[in-house]
Amino acid sequence: MNPSHNSTIWVSELNARPEIRSAFPLSTVRFYDTTLRDGEQTVGVVLSPQQKLEIARKLDELGISRIEAGFPRVSADDADAIRLMLKANLKAELWGFSRAVRADLEELIRLGLRASVIEAPTSDIKMRAYGISADEVLTRVKGAISFAAQNGIRVAFFAVDGTRSQLEFLKKVYLSVLEAGAEEIVVVDTIGACGPEAVEFLVRQICEWVGPKIPVHFHGHDDFGMATACAIAAVRAGATWIQGTINGMGERAGNADIGEIALALRCLYDVPVALDLSKVREVSELVRRSSGYAMEPWKPLVGENLFVRESGAVASQFHIPEAIEPYSSELVRADRRIVLGKKSGLDSIDLKARELGLAISAEQRAPILAAVKNRAIEKRGLVTDQEFREIAQRLTAVAS
């Protein structure tokens, strides 16, 4: 393994083995963002119409191809947000969300949306929970989709709990909705019940059922921490659209994280993605701030600590990014820096002193490092730049 100094991606060459890379498509994977609908189902999150417009504009700049604008039949706020988005002249397509209910679709028509997912349960357990039979599901979806198609609405059918559905019934539903006028289908892992191998099997099976001309989406949740892996498996099996949210927000353990998936496809498998990785962190911060939740600083792609180094052993390699990072901070437009704390080393002291323009002799490094470590232990945290200046000035003054 000999990564190029000019490269921004330094992953293992094993990812490029023919038997691995050849399993993935050469075509571009596109993203359908549901942050404003499924993401807002995160417990305690309420986004105003103006916040949704601001997020939609950032999603558009990010390169998101489709934005699920909301569920207006059940939310007047969503209807207001959709009106704002429709006036914003976004490049991304705006999609609605609807049950297999005519009144839901009539609201979309009234607002002027021309595309929507239409959902219905397909698993035995979900149909039982909704108090609806399999025959009723078929009748309702065919009627709703026919009505949508007659009114100029492009439909992607969303099979709720599809991954726990009987395959024979799932096939019957998908083929029936296509016959009724749906143009795309969504494979839905509603409660994150599948591992990547199962997702790959199911998506490949469904792609065979519907044929190569029908776009297939994958919509997954992260209940077992595998939503990104499952989305990658779905692409490997033939899905051309991935549905998800910014930061993976959503109910329970959240949805598939669009940024993580795009990063993995691009960096690990060299799959082209319709998404600007350099803008993900900016959008992530806006969504987090608007939603009012905290996020792990070690979260992939968007975590605040990804390119921050405290450990002395790592700081000694700081000048060779590919030795300590799998991709460049430049790729995702992140700040790369050294911080000081309990785990710092002599190289950390040198790097921080150089950054702050402080002159420290070789003999002063060890006492300053000891003082830094003691301060970090006392405060149970990092030593700020100002605290480091004070330590350095005090000890250099004593030495002189």
Side-chain angles (χ1 to χ4, degrees):
M1 311 283 174
N2 185 26
S4 165
H5 283 271
N6 296 321
S7 172
T8 57
I9 300 171
W10 310 303
V11 298
S12 170
E13 292 175 1
L14 295 175
N15 296 298
R17 289 183 63 84
E19 65 270 28
I20 296 174
R21 182 62 190 88
S22 63
F24 287 87
L26 299 175
S27 55
T28 299
V29 172
R30 302 189 182 279
F31 295 95
Y32 176 110
D33 182 274
T34 183
T35 301
L36 304 181
R37 197 276 304 172
D38 212 352
E40 197 188 21
Q41 291 180 211
T42 303
V43 172
V45 171
V46 179
L47 299 171
S48 71
Q50 194 60 45
Q51 285 176 317
K52 288 193 173 187
L53 174 62
E54 186 181 8
I55 292 169
R57 284 181 167 142
K58 287 297 183 183
L59 293 173
D60 200 38
E61 293 174 11
L62 182 61
I64 294 294
S65 299
R66 293 176 177 174
I67 299 171
E68 191 170 270
F71 191 2
R73 171 79 195 293
V74 300
S75 170
D77 260 11
D78 278 13
D80 290 341
I82 288 168
R83 290 188 192 95
L84 292 174
M85 284 183 249
L86 286 169
K87 292 177 183 176
N89 296 316
L90 304 176
K91 297 185 293 293
E93 295 176 14
L94 290 179
W95 281 57
F97 184 86
S98 171
R99 297 163 297 191
V101 174
R102 180 174 291 211
D104 288 4
L105 292 163
E106 288 172 340
E107 178 65 2
L108 300 181
I109 294 164
R110 185 181 71 81
L111 290 167
L113 283 175
R114 289 291 172 258
S116 182
V117 295
I118 294 180
E119 72 156 20
T122 57
S123 71
D124 291 341
I125 191 169
K126 282 291 187 183
M127 287 187 285
R128 208 160 51 242
Y130 284 117
I132 185 173
S133 70
D135 287 342
E136 287 175 304
V137 166
L138 283 167
T139 299
R140 289 187 187 184
V141 296
K142 287 190 286 187
I145 289 168
S146 295
F147 178 74
Q150 289 162 13
N151 284 275
I153 294 182
R154 182 183 182 91
V155 174
F157 176 67
F158 191 96
V160 177
D161 207 21
T163 57
R164 295 195 301 173
S165 301
Q166 297 295 321
L167 291 185
E168 184 178 338
F169 180 64
L170 190 62
K171 179 179 181 180
K172 185 175 184 179
V173 174
Y174 277 139
L175 295 182
S176 295
V177 299
L178 291 174
E179 187 178 348
E183 298 181 49
E184 306 181 19
I185 62 156
V186 189
V187 181
V188 189
D189 193 15
T190 301
I191 60 168
C194 269
E197 299 84 2
V199 167
E200 185 168 358
F201 163 79
L202 182 60
V203 171
R204 182 168 286 115
Q205 182 73 76
I206 291 168
C207 286
E208 290 176 7
W209 293 343
V210 303
K213 293 183 179 179
I214 301 298
V216 173
H217 300 228
F218 176 72
H219 177 112
H221 286 255
D222 203 30
D223 295 80
F224 290 93
M226 302 188 80
T228 294
C230 286
I232 300 299
V235 170
R236 191 163 53 235
T240 54
W241 286 90
I242 295 297
Q243 298 192 358
T245 62
I246 299 299
N247 298 335
M249 66 187 294
E251 288 195 73
R252 303 185 318 278
N255 288 52
D257 186 315
I258 281 176
E260 284 185 17
I261 296 161
L263 183 74
L265 287 170
R266 170 71 183 85
C267 294
L268 295 176
Y269 306 108
D270 200 26
V271 173
V273 293
L275 192 133
D276 186 345
L277 291 172
S278 72
K279 296 181 178 178
V280 176
R281 289 174 67 91
E282 180 184 348
V283 181
S284 166
E285 171 59 21
L286 171 63
V287 170
R288 186 203 62 75
R289 192 171 63 248
S290 300
S291 303
Y293 57 75
M295 201 162 58
E296 305 100 324
W298 50 82
K299 183 172 172 57
L301 178 55
V302 297
E304 64 183 48
N305 286 354
L306 296 188
F307 297 96
V308 178
R309 302 286 172 254
E310 178 190 354
S311 166
V314 174
S316 67
Q317 306 168 61
F318 192 73
H319 60 296
I320 309 175
E322 58 265 43
I324 54 176
E325 293 152 13
Y327 57 89
S328 168
S329 60
E330 297 170 6
L331 184 68
V332 296
R333 203 181 293 171
D335 292 331
R336 190 168 183 269
R337 59 195 174 90
I338 288 288
V339 293
L340 299 178
K342 174 186 174 183
K343 298 173 284 294
S344 294
L346 292 174
D347 287 310
S348 308
I349 299 300
D350 288 340
L351 287 165
K352 182 57 73 173
R354 196 175 306 131
E355 176 191 324
L356 299 178
L358 302 177
I360 293 176
S361 69
E363 294 77 19
Q364 292 165 342
R365 295 161 73 225
I368 290 174
L369 175 61
V372 164
K373 286 176 174 286
N374 287 337
R375 179 69 185 119
I377 291 169
E378 287 171 7
K379 67 183 293 190
R380 298 291 184 220
L382 295 175
V383 173
T384 67
D385 287 354
Q386 182 57 36
E387 288 172 326
F388 177 68
R389 284 191 183 93
E390 292 170 359
I391 290 170
Q393 288 168 357
R394 174 168 50 82
L395 292 179
T396 52
V398 169
S400 60

